Amino acid sequence: DVKVTQSSRYLVKRTGEKVFLECVQDMDHENMFWYRQDPGLGLRLIYFSYDVKMKEKGDIPEGYSVSREKKERFSLILESASTNQTSMYLCASSTGNSGANVLTFGAGSRLTVL
Amino acid sequence: GQNIDQPTEMTATEGAIVQINCTYQTSGFNGLFWYQQHAGEAPTFLSYNVLDGLEEKGRFSSFLSRSKGYSYLLLKELQMKDSASYLCAVRDSNYQLIWGAGTKLIIKP
């Protein structure tokens, strides 16, 4: 069964803390994505990567950074967490960039910043 | 700007049929997706439309009209397990996905 695994389902952090959200996929997908999901809003793309060591800003990259040192792993980093970063974070992966290019999502990491 | 509209919430009865609409205004069009998301779980892929018409997959069908900027997801023979949010997403000319806020579907016995 193919999977996207997010290391933490629930995290509670304090304002100013550094936060790491890890995502690993076992499907040998080229593309990986980080989204945040908030009530009443569509998924918003934070960062994405089409290859190892490559990263591109999405729609809302401010306050976030990413790392992709290996093909299967894509990490989201909050350098100094703030309360407005309290959200559900979804990692996804896909193969190629043509055709349907369906996303496979992880179960999500719910982050609360106090 | 780019926009995807879908109803916030719908209620239907077990065994019935429900249609969830999605209208979009995007910079270009390279396909429309429907995903299902149960509460607390990952979104999972349901359907993909890139040409006009109806795509049928078991109890679920998805329709697309590119000229009208319109799609719908049709769910037949509703089951309690169909209670979930249904997300509509359009891939624009830059191959980026634009997401609707989702429609929460409540199924009543």
Side-chain angles (χ1 to χ4, degrees):
Chain A
D1 194 18
V2 295
K3 275 188 177 176
V4 176
T5 303
Q6 295 184 230
S7 56
S8 304
R9 287 300 306 271
Y10 301 95
L11 303 94
V12 180
K13 299 291 182 180
R14 296 207 175 274
T15 301
E17 281 193 84
K18 192 169 186 177
V19 182
F20 291 89
L21 299 180
E22 303 285 340
C23 175
V24 177
Q25 50 95 4
D26 64 1
M27 297 166 283
D28 200 34
H29 282 173
E30 293 84 1
N31 311 322
M32 296 190 75
F33 306 82
W34 275 105
Y35 286 93
R36 64 177 283 175
Q37 184 174 34
D38 298 292
L41 298 178
L43 296 181
R44 292 184 289 168
L45 183 62
I46 304 171
Y47 268 97
F48 60 100
S49 170
Y50 289 148
D51 201 354
V52 176
K53 296 192 184 293
M54 175 270 180
K55 59 185 179 183
E56 292 284 347
K57 293 180 179 179
D59 300 317
I60 52 164
E62 297 79 16
Y64 303 94
S65 62
V66 290
S67 172
R68 194 166 181 200
E69 295 296 318
K70 293 183 178 181
K71 187 176 185 178
E72 67 271 18
R73 187 179 299 270
F74 193 37
S75 303
L76 180 69
I77 303 150
L78 289 67
E79 293 288 342
S80 178
S82 63
T83 54
N84 63 11
Q85 292 178 311
T86 291
S87 187
M88 170 68 85
Y89 290 88
L90 292 170
C91 176
S93 70
S94 69
T95 184
N97 57 10
S98 63
N101 200 19
V102 170
L103 293 176
T104 301
F105 284 89
S109 298
R110 184 168 293 282
L111 172 66
T112 301
V113 183
L114 303 175
Chain B
Q2 307 205 88
N3 194 51
I4 310 285
D5 284 320
Q6 47 181 135
T8 302
E9 187 174 295
M10 299 182 70
T11 302
T13 305
E14 190 177 16
I17 299 173
V18 71
Q19 178 176 310
I20 303 173
N21 295 325
C22 172
T23 58
Y24 63 89
Q25 293 174 309
T26 57
S27 302
F29 179 85
N30 280 297
L32 184 143
F33 298 80
W34 285 96
Y35 283 79
Q36 180 190 58
Q37 185 178 25
H38 287 101
E41 297 184 11
T44 55
F45 170 74
L46 284 179
S47 68
Y48 170 67
N49 294 69
V50 67
L51 299 175
D52 292 350
L54 188 69
E55 294 279 345
E56 296 187 79
K57 193 184 294 185
R59 294 188 299 113
F60 292 10
S61 303
S62 57
F63 172 82
L64 174 67
S65 169
R66 288 173 295 171
S67 63
K68 294 182 179 179
Y70 168 68
S71 173
Y72 67 74
L73 182 69
L74 191 71
L75 291 73
K76 302 177 184 176
E77 301 169 14
L78 286 169
Q79 302 175 11
M80 297 302 293
K81 68 179 182 179
D82 297 329
S83 291
S85 289
Y86 292 85
L87 313 181
C88 174
V90 173
R91 192 160 59 196
D92 68 11
S93 56
N94 294 320
Y95 271 77
Q96 297 304 314
L97 282 173
I98 313 300
W99 295 83
T103 298
K104 183 178 181 180
L105 178 63
I106 300 168
I107 309 297
K108 295 186 175 181

